[in-house]
Amino acid sequence: MQLSEQEIVRRENLQKIKDLGFNPFPAEEFKLDFRSDEITTEQYQSALARSLELIRGVGPEQSVKLMHALFKSRGKTAPLLADEAFLEEVPISETVEFADEAGHNPVSLEDFFAEARESALGEYSKDKKGAVQIAGRFMGQRGPFAKLQDSYGTIQLYIGKNDLGDTEEEKERYKQLVKLLDIGDFIGVRGEVFATGTGEISVHVRELVFLGKSLRPLPIVKRDKEGNVYDAFTDPEQRYRQRYVDLTVNPQVREIFLKRSRLISAMRRFFDNKGWLEVETPILQPIHGGAAARPFRTHHNTLDMPLYLRIANELYLKRLIVGGFEGVYEIGKMFRNEGMDRTHNPEFTSMEIYIAYKDYHWMMEMVEQCLEYVATEVTGNTKVEYEGKVIDYAGPYKRLTMFEAIEEYTGIDISNMDEAALRDVCKQLHIEVDPTMGKGKLIDEIFSEKVEDHLIQPTYIIDYPIEMTPLAKKHRSVDGLVERFELFVNGKEIANAYSELNDPIDQRERFEDQLRLAERGDEEAMALDEDFLRALEYGMPPTSGLGIGIDRLTMLLANQHSIQEVLFFPQMRPKAELHEYPKNKEEVSE
RNA sequence: GAGCCCGUAGCUCAGCCGGCUAGAGCACUUGACUUUUAAUCAAGGGGUCCUGGGUUCGAGUCCCAGCGGGCUCACCA
């Protein structure tokens, strides 16, 4: 491996750290009692104010004035209150006078403040001994001031020349160690919290433990007060391939994944609170049923048979409803061997839920409640900005039948048309069709071409043609339709749900229709699953089922425009130089 | 799968119509300074210009092929 100059320097530093007698990769736990985001100006200020109260019996308002007086007397702007106008109203003389009045033991303002600070530290730190203990990456140093970045943010450290070590030799050792710190190294520190002359909350380091050496230089991203970013690490390829670097230097990326995590846990909490059961079903399936998509194929050696990575888990979850569970849901990966782009990754996360004795009307209300809850938990609001539009997840959502929607946006009523008439409509609307398309597919084409883009606010499209939906129950009142809805947000499908088909004879016929479509050349037509039919024959209660694309919902709630941004590790073509790949493809897959 | 665009230092990017030893800022090294808040000063090191071929006296630059990526479209969720 060819090392760059900077990598060589870091390896030399590693050796020097060892030579100084420090372990660059120690095994011991480093106990944390604070996070960087817990050490805030506000907390420090209130600890100070409380201490002033305790020591001198002054009120909180006066103590704040005293703090400002102190800073003013040093010729600096008081950092601990945002309201600078307030400051102007408090002349130093007055507050000093006040201090004299309030100070039961007259002392200088400096001493007064120092006393309060000491007391505040005792109150501030968790062990009441005046220190906090934190750890993270060392992110650069200017003079005695260094930045420490942990999982929650960044905190400034003050590393004084002679603060580390007790004896002269120790002091020298630590001085050398501090010089050898590279950006990205992990260190743990212990010291007291204070505000610097310019007002930045900082930790005065009294103990330092080296925790882990960084041998590769991180990209240096700099931000100024106005939020301008310099030398940003932005190349999508590098960011996705080295997500660990992306997460280290781009805090806004971390935020996306925090939202993703909050989304999933909120949704899980919502379902669990209803008493529905989270389950896991096979990812390796002998028959890839439940959706229209091309699967990944693999092979089991012992069974000597092909297996498919699931394109859907629907048929398994319904078997569990047959088995007697009232509500089951699964959050998991699906795999589809199809195109990749900014809204498609070969593996994606789907939430599927099935509830017995319900229908799709009930499900629409449940989804409204669920999304309202999730959006609020993730973003703090039901109104969420996406691509400059404000999308409101508070229900109820607009409901349009498929035919109504098409009529609304094309002016054509297709509700009574046969296949030939639909073909004419497609021609009229300049929509390309081919002979393999059945009636359902033709309607779907018209819909996705002419309607989808208009559905910005959450909108239910309900009652789909039977041909495109082999697993849904026939409509209770309209011939040729099924009880199905899809939820569209910002022109994209987010959720899909049915009153589930529980008539095994009807289900068999629908599968057979699919087989005929397959013979016509429809590659995505569904396979017939005998075991699933057997399960239905034992009897399944009326059930409503729902699927939600978690990645797409995350995109909407985190205001991201590509699925790659909401996946830690989006699929990418491997780079040849980094890995050796097995030469014989057959050996791997078989 | 198709079209358009991109690939230059660890990072961000200049590099014209082909022309001297390929540049800048940050990062790095050395020295000075114990100091602030993207950026202290001075000096220095660092390049398979994605890969391979071609045109040419001469290619980072032009042409061809490949690899990787981005955007748009098609299919899918």
Side-chain angles (χ1 to χ4, degrees):
Chain A
M1 184 171 44
Q2 195 64 44
L3 295 178
S4 74
E5 183 197 10
Q6 294 190 41
E7 287 168 335
I8 291 167
V9 168
R10 281 169 181 244
R11 270 156 215 257
E12 287 167 0
N13 289 348
L14 173 71
Q15 189 54 49
K16 288 177 190 165
I17 289 168
K18 286 180 184 167
D19 293 345
L20 283 170
F22 294 100
N23 182 352
F25 300 103
E28 296 80 16
E29 174 192 16
F30 184 83
K31 283 199 164 39
L32 307 175
D33 63 4
F34 265 84
R35 313 168 8 169
S36 65
D37 64 342
E38 291 177 321
I39 302 170
T40 64
T41 302
E42 291 70 27
Q43 279 175 300
Y44 179 65
Q45 180 188 354
S46 69
L48 269 180
R50 279 199 304 278
S51 295
L52 283 161
E53 277 182 76
L54 287 172
I55 296 167
R56 299 294 175 177
V58 302
E61 207 173 300
Q62 285 97 343
S63 60
V64 169
K65 286 183 187 175
L66 284 172
M67 279 158 36
H68 285 303
L70 177 81
F71 275 96
K72 263 198 161 174
S73 70
R74 288 171 172 171
K76 304 214 162 143
T77 309
L80 299 178
L81 247 202
D83 186 359
E84 290 193 20
F86 169 77
L87 264 183
E88 295 307 313
E89 294 165 11
V90 188
I92 292 176
S93 58
E94 189 190 309
T95 54
V96 170
E97 212 172 283
F98 167 79
D100 289 339
E101 283 167 25
H104 309 293
N105 304 308
V107 287
S108 76
L109 207 49
E110 287 276 349
D111 290 347
F112 187 89
F113 187 78
E115 193 183 339
R117 188 169 153 274
E118 200 174 306
S119 161
L121 286 171
E123 189 189 338
Y124 192 88
S125 74
K126 287 184 179 166
D127 63 2
K128 304 292 178 201
K129 287 180 190 160
V132 297
Q133 189 151 312
I134 56 174
R137 278 190 197 270
F138 172 85
M139 293 301 273
Q141 186 168 15
R142 267 189 62 64
F145 295 103
K147 293 282 183 209
L148 185 75
Q149 176 177 310
D150 70 4
S151 182
Y152 308 95
T154 303
I155 180 90
Q156 177 165 273
L157 305 178
Y158 179 89
I159 306 175
K161 225 177 187 175
N162 288 302
D163 289 343
L164 298 173
D166 297 327
T167 65
E168 281 308 310
E169 298 93 83
E170 281 292 286
K171 283 184 195 296
E172 188 52 35
R173 245 178 105 227
Y174 275 102
K175 230 183 271 181
Q176 294 301 320
L177 178 66
V178 169
K179 271 192 192 163
L180 291 171
L181 292 178
D182 285 314
I183 289 173
D185 287 352
F186 283 94
I187 56 171
V189 298
R190 178 177 180 77
E192 67 269 22
V193 178
F194 75 110
T196 63
T198 54
E200 181 162 343
I201 205 83
S202 308
V203 174
H204 191 146
V205 177
R206 304 295 184 179
E207 292 170 37
L208 188 150
V209 182
F210 198 91
L211 296 176
K213 186 72 196 148
S214 165
L215 291 179
R216 280 180 191 261
L218 287 165
I220 307 297
V221 181
K222 299 191 172 178
R223 293 173 179 80
D224 64 17
K225 279 182 264 230
E226 283 79 43
N228 298 316
V229 179
Y230 302 83
D231 299 324
F233 180 66
T234 53
D235 178 23
E237 175 174 4
Q238 287 196 73
R239 288 182 45 236
Y240 303 153
R241 287 190 192 279
Q242 301 187 48
R243 186 65 98 176
Y244 33 87
V245 175
D246 192 28
L247 289 165
T248 301
V249 303
N250 290 327
Q252 71 281 10
V253 171
R254 170 185 304 272
E255 195 55 39
I256 295 167
F257 291 99
L258 292 181
K259 283 183 175 168
R260 181 179 177 117
S261 174
R262 286 206 293 272
L263 185 161
I264 292 172
S265 70
M267 193 173 276
R268 180 174 279 134
R269 195 156 56 241
F270 183 86
F271 296 147
D272 288 348
N273 285 340
K274 306 266 185 196
W276 299 325
L277 189 72
E278 181 167 13
V279 299
E280 292 174 281
T281 63
I283 289 173
L284 292 173
Q285 304 179 347
I287 297 171
H288 53 283
R294 295 213 302 274
F296 287 94
R297 187 189 151 112
T298 183
H299 182 263
H300 192 281
N301 288 342
T302 304
L303 295 175
D304 190 23
M305 65 179 284
L307 284 172
Y308 301 91
L309 271 59
R310 68 179 174 194
I311 56 173
N313 51 0
E314 171 158 359
L315 302 186
Y316 283 96
L317 290 170
K318 284 191 209 171
R319 285 170 168 98
L320 296 178
I321 296 294
V322 169
F325 292 110
E326 184 180 325
V328 291
Y329 73 95
E330 178 171 15
I331 298 170
K333 289 277 181 77
M334 304 298 153
F335 306 85
R336 298 193 181 174
N337 203 343
E338 288 168 345
M340 290 163 58
D341 60 24
R342 104 179 179 282
T343 53
H344 296 86
N345 196 61
E347 55 185 293
F348 63 100
T349 301
S350 161
M351 193 295 303
E352 298 271 332
I353 185 167
Y354 291 82
I355 310 291
Y357 311 113
K358 308 298 185 192
D359 66 4
Y360 75 141
H361 290 297
W362 175 89
M363 185 64 86
M364 280 187 262
E365 282 174 32
M366 193 278 268
V367 169
E368 284 161 359
Q369 288 167 20
C370 178
L371 289 188
E372 189 170 331
Y373 176 73
V374 168
T376 308
E377 289 291 295
V378 172
T379 69
N381 205 315
T382 62
K383 295 186 173 68
V384 180
E385 187 175 328
Y386 190 77
E387 294 180 343
K389 291 161 275 195
V390 174
I391 291 170
D392 191 353
Y393 292 92
Y397 306 150
K398 189 176 178 186
R399 298 180 189 188
L400 283 175
T401 68
M402 176 68 106
F403 292 144
E404 283 166 359
I406 289 172
E407 189 168 358
E408 180 160 336
Y409 293 101
T410 66
I412 302 169
D413 177 8
I414 60 163
S415 56
N416 293 311
M417 289 185 182
D418 60 13
E419 193 174 315
L422 286 168
R423 279 182 193 282
D424 287 345
V425 170
C426 286
K427 200 175 287 177
Q428 187 188 327
L429 296 172
H430 309 290
I431 297 166
E432 279 186 39
V433 292
D434 65 65
T436 68
M437 289 176 176
K439 195 173 157 184
K441 200 108 189 175
L442 290 169
I443 293 172
D444 193 36
E445 285 295 313
I446 298 170
F447 178 78
S448 35
E449 197 70 25
K450 295 292 167 189
V451 181
E452 268 186 20
D453 289 349
H454 300 286
L455 308 176
I456 302 302
Q457 292 302 318
T459 305
Y460 288 124
I461 299 298
I462 66 176
D463 297 345
Y464 283 65
I466 192 165
E467 292 85 348
M468 33 196 301
T469 318
L471 300 169
K473 187 175 275 192
K474 279 177 182 153
H475 197 276
R476 63 193 72 183
S477 55
V478 186
D479 229 24
L481 297 184
V482 290
E483 297 205 346
R484 170 185 185 183
F485 73 79
E486 288 190 329
L487 175 62
F488 285 84
V489 179
N490 197 49
K492 295 272 170 4
E493 182 201 333
I494 292 302
N496 182 18
Y498 317 140
S499 296
E500 299 295 338
L501 178 55
N502 61 343
D503 174 347
I505 294 168
D506 189 0
Q507 182 68 78
R508 182 175 294 275
E509 284 167 7
R510 302 275 200 91
F511 275 142
E512 280 163 358
D513 289 343
Q514 288 292 307
L515 293 181
R516 274 189 286 281
L517 280 180
E519 278 161 23
R520 252 170 97 168
D522 186 343
E523 281 183 42
E524 292 164 353
M526 249 177 249
L528 190 148
D529 187 332
E530 262 321 324
D531 178 72
F532 174 66
L533 287 172
R534 178 168 61 187
L536 288 192
E537 284 164 9
Y538 280 105
M540 183 171 92
T543 297
S544 185
L546 163 79
I548 292 182
I550 294 295
D551 309 288
R552 290 190 174 176
L553 188 56
T554 305
M555 287 165 66
L556 284 168
L557 294 183
N559 198 11
Q560 293 303 312
H561 314 301
S562 82
I563 197 170
Q564 285 78 19
E565 291 290 352
V566 303
L567 299 170
F568 274 129
F569 304 106
Q571 197 57 246
M572 300 194 87
R573 208 173 246 107
K575 282 268 199 190
E577 65 262 32
L578 260 182
H579 304 284
E580 292 268 331
Y581 287 91
K583 287 161 189 79
N584 188 337
K585 267 179 144 180
E586 265 62 42
E587 264 177 36
V588 179
S589 63
E590 298 299 301

